[in-house]
Structures are given as structure tokens and as C-alpha cells.
Amino acid sequence: MFDITKIVRPNILNLEPYSSARDEFEGSEGIFMDANENPFGDLNRYPDPLQKAVKQKLSDVKGIPVENIFLGNGSDEIIDLCFRVFCEPAKDKALTFVPTYGMYEVSATINNVELEKIPLNEKFQINTEDITLNLLDPLVKVIFICSPNNPTGNCIKAVEFIIKNFGGIVVVDEAYIDFADAESLSKKLDIYPNLIVLQTLSKAWGLAAARVGIAFAGTAVIKYLNKVKPPYNISTLNQSAALYALQETSKFELQRNIILQEKSKLLAELESLDFVIKIYPSDTNFFLIVVKDADAIYNKLISSKIIIRNRNKIVKNCLRITIGTPAENEALLAELKNITL
Ligand SMILES: *Cc1c(COP(=O)(O)O)cnc(C)c1O
């Protein structure tokens, strides 16, 4: 039986969270003389600390109950909260599989938590037989798995194996799930009380500027995330932007379909370039490609003001290219076709 109180840090278990003025009285009607706000203006009131309207909309769109939803100032905030809730600094550990999203390591370091980095195999998958001991290590409190993974672009197959065989928290970062055929693990919260699924409005939903990240988890986990988060972590402006985007599901579908169409066009064109050695399969809105000389190609593109991501230091001679608008993809291809190495 999974017992969350064995995983949460003792100081967080006993934490009496900050009770904001807006926590004490629910409702928007009334004369508010409780929060020392300026009584005049449009943005003069503190935002809803629990973002109830956004969560309700998200619940409708995603088919997940409101009580299983937590919102952060980007998923990056939720990654940091996971360390703060579960990992005792200078004692507990976290684990991830590399190459992967860089924020797990940055957040671990800021929180003074050791992050074990297990290499993915040549197919960018987890060798489950290599990690039996890690899964049993009582000091490992959180495992981060990015699936579909950034920067490799593929879905990770062993995710459920790890959730079932690990006694701590498994954070599955699904930032790119809207571009994948795979089903979100958020549908399985009932069977996995140690699961946190991260999603974001920053990618397919087109709202990176608004900083809205999502965690889907069991109510026990949600309770501790709410305890530790800053009271007003998502501004009223950003909550409005999220609400607006989530109402425009047809715009979301349309944009995603264009991106996916452009992705297959770009794939065919990239394959025809002679300096492209390999294009990894992608369940995302980007390609990781192996080229003859990543640094040279990266720099040539930079000089034409086309910015891609040079991943050479992480995966030898690899570049990561995000799918752009049709015109942007044309411009990229025109430049790439000009390059001779
Ligand atoms: C882009 C990205 C995010 C998004 O982070 P936000 O803070 O929500 O913008 C999260 N995880 C991964 C793997 C990403 O690539």
C-alpha cells in the first residue's frame, strides 16, 4: 500500500499553510475590505489562489476531475514543488533518465538534492533490468520520466513498469502528449496513487507566455502541492488567458493539425539533405536529427537568423528543430539547402 505520509518531508507534513484573505471567503460578490488592496481599478484584486474557473474548464476538456488538478506557474514551478515536497535537501535523492529535459537537474541542484542520471539506451528507452537496485533505494523519493521525451522526441515504454515497481513518486512529464498518438497516463490516476502527470499550456496550447503548467494526481498528492505553492502563483491575467485558450478548442485542433502536417512535410525534406545522417522518430512538435557537423550547421543558421537548438554537447552531432509556421519551415529548408559542408 502506498502511504504518502512516508514520502512527504516531515516539515511539509506538519506545515500549516499560509491562509490568504481570499481563502477565507469564497465568492466574488461583496465588499472586500480583507486584503489591503486598493479598492479602485480592474486588476486591483488578488487572483483566485486555487484557479477554480480554469480547473473546471480543464476538467471538461481533459476529462479529469477538478480535485485531481493542480496548476503551477508553468510546469517548471511544479517540478520545483516536487523537490520541495518530497526530497529532504542533502539527504534524499531523485532520479531521471538522460538525455532529458534540463530543468529536473537545475531544480534538483537549487534544492540541494542529488539527481541520479541513468542513461537511456541507444533507442532512447529505459533498460529496466539495469535499474532494479535504484527502484529499491529508500533515499530515492522521486523519479522524473519525460514522455514523449525532450530532446529525443520518443515515448518511453517502461513508464508503467516503473510506477508499479517503485515505492516513491513518479513524475511523468507529458509536455508534448498532445502531439503524440499515445494516451495520457492521467487516465490511470485511480490505479497509481504515486503518479504525478505533468502537462502544460506552453506547447500545443500555444500559451508559453502565460506560464500555466498542470499536474494531474491523486488528491493526497494534490493536497501537499497546494500546501507548498505560493498562494497566488498564477496571475489573474494568466488565468484569463488560460480560460480563453481552453474555450477555443477548435483553434487548438486546427493549429495542432497544421503543425503535424508541416512535421511530415519537413521530415521528407530533411531526409533528402545529404548532411542529415539520421532523423529520430518523433512523437512531438520537434525533430532530433543527427548531422555531419552540428556546430557548423547551427552556426550557419544563426548567421541567417534562424535559431534552432544545438544539442551536440548532449547527443553527439544532434540538432533539435521545432516545427514552425509553413513560411518559417520554408525559410529553414531554403537555408539548409544552401549549406555545403
Ligand atoms: C517545454 C517543456 C515544459 C514546459 O514547461 P512550462 O514551465 O510549463 O512552460 C515542461 N517539460 C518539458 C519536458 C518541456 O520540454
Side-chain angles (χ1 to χ4, degrees), residues 167-228:
I169 296 286
V170 181
V171 178
V172 181
D173 187 342
E174 294 186 339
Y176 299 96
I177 193 73
D178 296 306
F179 298 109
D181 286 331
E183 172 133 49
S184 167
L185 267 181
S186 59
K187 301 283 180 211
K188 297 192 175 174
L189 295 177
D190 287 345
I191 41 177
Y192 300 134
N194 60 335
L195 169 65
I196 300 178
V197 175
L198 296 186
Q199 292 186 9
T200 179
L201 299 186
S202 295
K203 303 286 157 60
W205 287 92
L207 229 57
R211 314 303 305 125
V212 181
I214 307 157
F216 299 113
T219 50
V221 169
I222 299 282
K223 180 176 106 179
Y224 289 104
L225 292 174
N226 275 326
K227 259 186 159 193
V228 174

Side-chain angles (χ1 to χ4, degrees), residues 142-319:
V142 183
I143 297 181
F144 290 90
I145 309 172
C146 188
S147 179
N149 189 30
N150 176 6
T152 62
N154 60 305
C155 287
I156 305 290
K157 293 183 176 139
V159 176
E160 288 195 65
F161 170 87
I162 291 171
I163 300 170
K164 285 179 198 154
N165 289 284
F166 177 59
I169 296 286
V170 181
V171 178
V172 181
D173 187 342
E174 294 186 339
Y176 299 96
I177 193 73
D178 296 306
F179 298 109
D181 286 331
E183 172 133 49
S184 167
L185 267 181
S186 59
K187 301 283 180 211
K188 297 192 175 174
L189 295 177
D190 287 345
I191 41 177
Y192 300 134
N194 60 335
L195 169 65
I196 300 178
V197 175
L198 296 186
Q199 292 186 9
T200 179
L201 299 186
S202 295
K203 303 286 157 60
W205 287 92
L207 229 57
R211 314 303 305 125
V212 181
I214 307 157
F216 299 113
T219 50
V221 169
I222 299 282
K223 180 176 106 179
Y224 289 104
L225 292 174
N226 275 326
K227 259 186 159 193
V228 174
K229 83 177 181 76
Y232 303 113
N233 60 329
I234 304 184
S235 77
T236 301
L237 293 172
N238 292 347
Q239 290 187 44
S240 306
L243 206 52
Y244 183 75
L246 289 166
Q247 275 155 359
E248 305 272 296
T249 46
S250 57
K251 184 171 152 197
F252 163 84
E253 293 289 348
L254 187 74
Q255 289 181 354
R256 183 181 58 177
N257 290 341
I258 295 171
I259 291 167
L260 290 176
Q261 266 174 28
E262 285 295 307
K263 183 179 160 185
S264 43
K265 276 180 16 198
L266 196 59
L267 175 65
E269 296 277 4
L270 289 172
E271 274 170 341
S272 72
L273 297 168
D274 59 0
F275 54 78
V276 172
I277 294 167
K278 179 175 177 141
I279 303 172
Y280 284 103
S282 166
D283 291 310
T284 66
N285 64 330
F286 60 81
F287 283 117
L288 187 73
I289 67 174
V290 190
V291 293
K292 271 185 196 141
D293 186 345
D295 291 346
I297 293 167
Y298 174 77
N299 288 326
K300 287 221 166 110
L301 288 175
I302 286 281
S303 64
S304 323
K305 295 206 161 62
I306 295 175
I307 325 299
I308 62 169
R309 197 92 153 115
N310 187 356
R311 302 282 73 182
N312 182 28
K313 291 209 177 77
I314 298 164
V315 197
K316 185 109 192 80
N317 269 327
C318 273
L319 299 168

Side-chain angles (χ1 to χ4, degrees), residues 6-9 35-36 89-91 103 107 114 161 170-171 193 207 218 236 294 300 315 328:
K6 299 224 160 65
I7 308 290
V8 173
R9 292 167 63 198
N36 303 342
K91 177 173 167 247
M103 273 311 286
S107 236
E114 184 188 328
F161 170 87
V170 181
V171 178
L207 229 57
T236 301
K300 287 221 166 110
V315 197
E328 288 169 343

